Structure formats: structure tokens, C-alpha cells
Amino acid sequence: MLCFQILKCSPVTQAVVTRNYAQKAKGHHRDITNGPGLGDFIAGGANPSETDYVGNLVKKSGERLRLPPWLKTEIPVGKNFSKIKGSLRSHKLHTVCEEARCPNIGECWGGGKHETATATIMVLGDTCTRACRFCSVKTSRAPPPPDPHEPINTAVAVCEWNLDYVVLTSVDRDDIPDGGAAHFAETVREIKKMKPEMLVECLTPDFRGNLECVETIVESGLNVFAHNIETVEALQRSVRDPRANYKQSMSVLEHAKKFRPDVLTKTSLMVGLGERDDEVVKVMEDLRAIGVDCLTVGQYMQPTKRHLYVKEYVTPEKFRHWEELGKKMGFLYTASGPLVRSSYKAGQYIGHVMS
């Protein structure tokens, strides 16, 4: 049983206590008024510098890392965000931005101050036949068949947005003989038919290493062929689905470049999964050896509790190092930063390269 004892104070003591409390309350009110607001905590504005951050950046046994300030993003808002979301729903389309819970969705869809509108459309449905341990896209051994109207609906939607650059990607469809390559390529052709000047990037699966499927995509009229290597060679099996692997992904990128040398090739690498710096350098060297033109490097973010833990939060300083190294190695561009993803501001980077 809990007991509470009531203390009686003299009138003089009560007056002193009341005065001290009033002074403290006034001080607290001043601190609250001058302190950070809700927006600072959402955007990380209260403590934006990596040099000021005193939290642990490398995971220890039994510990969950706190999110450092440079990885906090704004809540998606704005008229362009609402417009694109409404258009996607009306045309029954999916985006990897939503399915993979991308942290840049507000900025890329128009929530940022510059109101840029860039969305990565995901064709062949929203359900993947693989189960990579870093990805939150739905999985199934037998997803619903692709929507035959999806290519034309996609073309109509992206032309409605009046874009100059669009990224198409897809889930893995190992249940379809060609992995969905023909459906993917048809979507590109429909877009080019409606707006020939639009630049199209295709971020493709590996098609189980079937290089004929790669040729189908490259011949579709696209401008940029992308396929993500995802992580360093040593971590492939623990991070990706067993049907994916380092050599297979490298062969896809290499064949695309050999088949159409005029098409830009691109890939993306996640860090913070426990890789060593020398392993990252090795990936970059391997990519340049097969002629990959463009590289993005970004922080792995755990999408749900069921997915891989973040082993390390890489500092912005280290990302700047990877970007400088990429330039020295000869990549046409290296986009490297904590919130960079494979399609992050792709139009701006590619537009600069092609201008």
C-alpha cells in the first residue's frame, strides 16, 4: 500500500515557495519560447551538424542506434505532392517512392521549396517475387498478373505532369518467363510516342541474368539504363534475395553498355550495412572497369522492424569523400549523401551530364 504524508508549512515558508516557483516558471516559459519548434525536430534543424552530434554512429550488441539529425526529413506536403498522388491513384499506378518508404518523397514529389516534381513509377504491379532483407515492397511467389493497360496509363500520367525526365522501375517478376521485360519496354515506347523529347531512365531487375531481357529494355528507346548493385560483394547474400548476386548484377550492367554504348548506365550502392571502406572502393573500381557511367551512394535506412538493422550511420563527411573519389575515378556523376537514393533528383544530375 502506498502512503502519502501531508506536510503543513508556515505562512512565511509558503510565500517563499510560491515566489521561487513563479521565478522558475517564468524562466521555463522563456526557454520554451526561444527553443526549437516542432519543425526543427521534423527537419533536424535543431542540431544539423555532424560535428555537434554526440550519439553513437556504429551499432553495438543489443543496441538500437538513434537517428542522427542529418537523416531527419520534412513531412511531405504541398500542392505538387497532392497532385501527383491523386494522379497515381486515378490511373491505378504504383511508385517505388511509396512502396519502399523513401525518405525523399516530399521533396521529389514537390514538397520541397523548389517544388520539383519527380516520381519513380513502378510497373508490373506492386508485389515482388523476391524478399530482399532491406526492402519493404510486398512479396509473393505468385503476384497478380500485370495490368495490360499499365503501359498506356503510365504514359498518360507522366505526360500530365509535364515532366522532362521520368524514372521507371519494377518489382522482380520471376513468375513471368521474360521477367516482365516486354511489358517494361512497352511502357517506355508509349511514353516516347506521346512525348518523344522526354528523357526516360529504366531502373531494372536482373532478370535472373537473362541478357536477352536486358537487350529488350535497352532497345526500347530509353536514355538511361540503371540496375542497382545494392551492397558490397561480401554482404550480397545477407542483404539481397539469394536469386540476386554481385556477378549477375555486374553482368547485366556490363551487357547493357556493350549492347548500346550510347546509353548511359547507372547503379546505386547502400552503406551502413557493415561494409568496410576498402570494400566500397572495390565496388567502385569494378563498376568503372565495366564502363558504368553514373553512381549514387546513400545511407541504408531500416524500413520496418522486420528488416535488417542499420549497422552504422555514415557521416555526411564520409559521403563527401565517396563523391570526390567517384569524380577522380571518372564517373560522369557521383551523387553521394545520407538521403541520396538511386532516383534522387535523377533528372537534374542526368540533365547536367547530357547538356
Side-chain angles (χ1 to χ4, degrees), residues 94 99 122-131 136-146 150 170-176:
H94 307 280
E99 299 296 332
M122 190 165 67
V123 298
L124 293 164
D126 64 348
T127 306
C128 188
T129 54
R130 300 189 188 179
S136 64
V137 173
K138 292 184 292 186
T139 64
S140 171
R141 292 182 179 178
E150 189 174 57
S170 80
V171 291
D172 281 282
R173 292 300 301 257
D174 298 310
D175 59 316
I176 302 175

Side-chain angles (χ1 to χ4, degrees), residues 29-336:
H29 178 74
R30 182 178 63 252
D31 292 340
I32 292 171
T33 302
N34 297 329
L38 175 62
D40 294 315
F41 290 100
I42 293 172
N47 188 11
S49 172
E50 65 265 35
T51 58
D52 297 334
Y53 183 64
V54 295
N56 187 26
L57 294 175
V58 180
K59 187 178 184 301
K60 297 179 181 178
S61 179
E63 178 190 50
R64 290 186 69 87
L65 294 178
R66 290 175 55 201
L67 195 69
W70 56 82
L71 284 170
K72 296 176 183 179
T73 57
E74 295 181 354
I75 294 174
V77 292
K79 60 182 180 181
N80 283 350
F81 179 88
S82 301
K83 175 185 175 182
I84 291 178
K85 188 163 187 173
S87 178
L88 288 165
R89 299 294 85 82
S90 66
H91 290 292
K92 300 180 180 179
L93 301 177
H94 307 280
T95 67
V96 74
C97 318
E98 295 172 295
E99 299 296 332
R101 307 184 185 190
C102 180
N104 304 312
I105 189 170
E107 183 178 1
C108 287
W109 282 25
K113 61 182 179 180
H114 300 298
E115 297 196 36
T116 56
T118 304
T120 301
I121 301 295
M122 190 165 67
V123 298
L124 293 164
D126 64 348
T127 306
C128 188
T129 54
R130 300 189 188 179
C132 296
R133 296 185 65 199
F134 67 88
C135 181
S136 64
V137 173
K138 292 184 292 186
T139 64
S140 171
R141 292 182 179 178
D147 178 2
H149 303 294
E150 189 174 57
I152 187 68
N153 286 343
T154 300
V156 170
V158 298
C159 290
E160 278 182 359
W161 301 337
N162 196 31
L163 303 177
D164 296 313
Y165 192 98
V166 64
V167 181
L168 299 179
T169 190
S170 80
V171 291
D172 281 282
R173 292 300 301 257
D174 298 310
D175 59 316
I176 302 175
D178 73 342
H183 183 97
F184 206 129
E186 184 184 354
T187 306
V188 179
R189 288 192 290 270
E190 289 292 346
I191 292 172
K192 288 289 188 175
K193 191 186 302 180
M194 289 190 182
K195 191 174 180 181
E197 69 274 20
M198 184 179 290
L199 299 177
V200 179
E201 174 183 324
C202 291
L203 174 57
T204 77
D206 59 22
F207 302 111
R208 300 293 296 270
N210 187 332
L211 300 182
E212 290 184 2
C213 296
V214 175
E215 294 174 6
T216 298
I217 302 292
V218 175
E219 286 185 315
S220 65
L222 83 175
N223 302 94
V224 180
F225 178 91
H227 171 68
N228 289 344
I229 201 72
E230 306 295 9
T231 187
V232 300
E233 188 170 10
L235 297 180
Q236 292 278 321
R237 192 160 184 80
S238 62
V239 172
R240 304 174 77 188
D241 185 278
R243 285 163 286 187
N245 63 73
Y246 190 79
K247 289 183 179 179
Q248 188 165 275
S249 289
M250 284 289 180
S251 71
V252 165
L253 289 162
E254 183 176 24
H255 189 72
K257 193 64 178 178
K258 285 182 177 178
F259 190 71
R260 281 287 302 276
D262 59 313
V263 169
L264 293 178
T265 51
K266 174 182 171 184
T267 195
S268 184
L269 183 67
M270 297 179 293
V271 293
L273 287 160
E275 70 288 329
R276 301 191 311 268
D277 286 359
D278 64 300
E279 292 175 322
V280 174
V281 173
K282 180 63 165 57
V283 175
M284 296 173 74
E285 290 173 344
D286 290 348
L287 291 170
R288 286 303 300 134
I290 60 171
V292 171
D293 299 299
C294 308
L295 172 67
T296 67
V297 184
Q299 171 72 52
Y300 166 66
M301 303 276 281
Q302 183 183 6
T304 75
K305 292 180 180 179
R306 300 189 306 274
H307 292 83
L308 287 171
Y309 289 119
V310 175
K311 295 288 185 66
E312 178 185 4
Y313 284 126
V314 179
T315 65
E317 182 181 13
K318 176 57 71 70
F319 280 109
R320 287 191 289 271
H321 167 72
W322 296 132
E323 186 164 344
E324 288 301 316
L325 183 60
K327 290 178 183 178
K328 292 176 182 177
M329 285 186 172
F331 288 101
L332 294 181
Y333 82 74
T334 304
S336 178

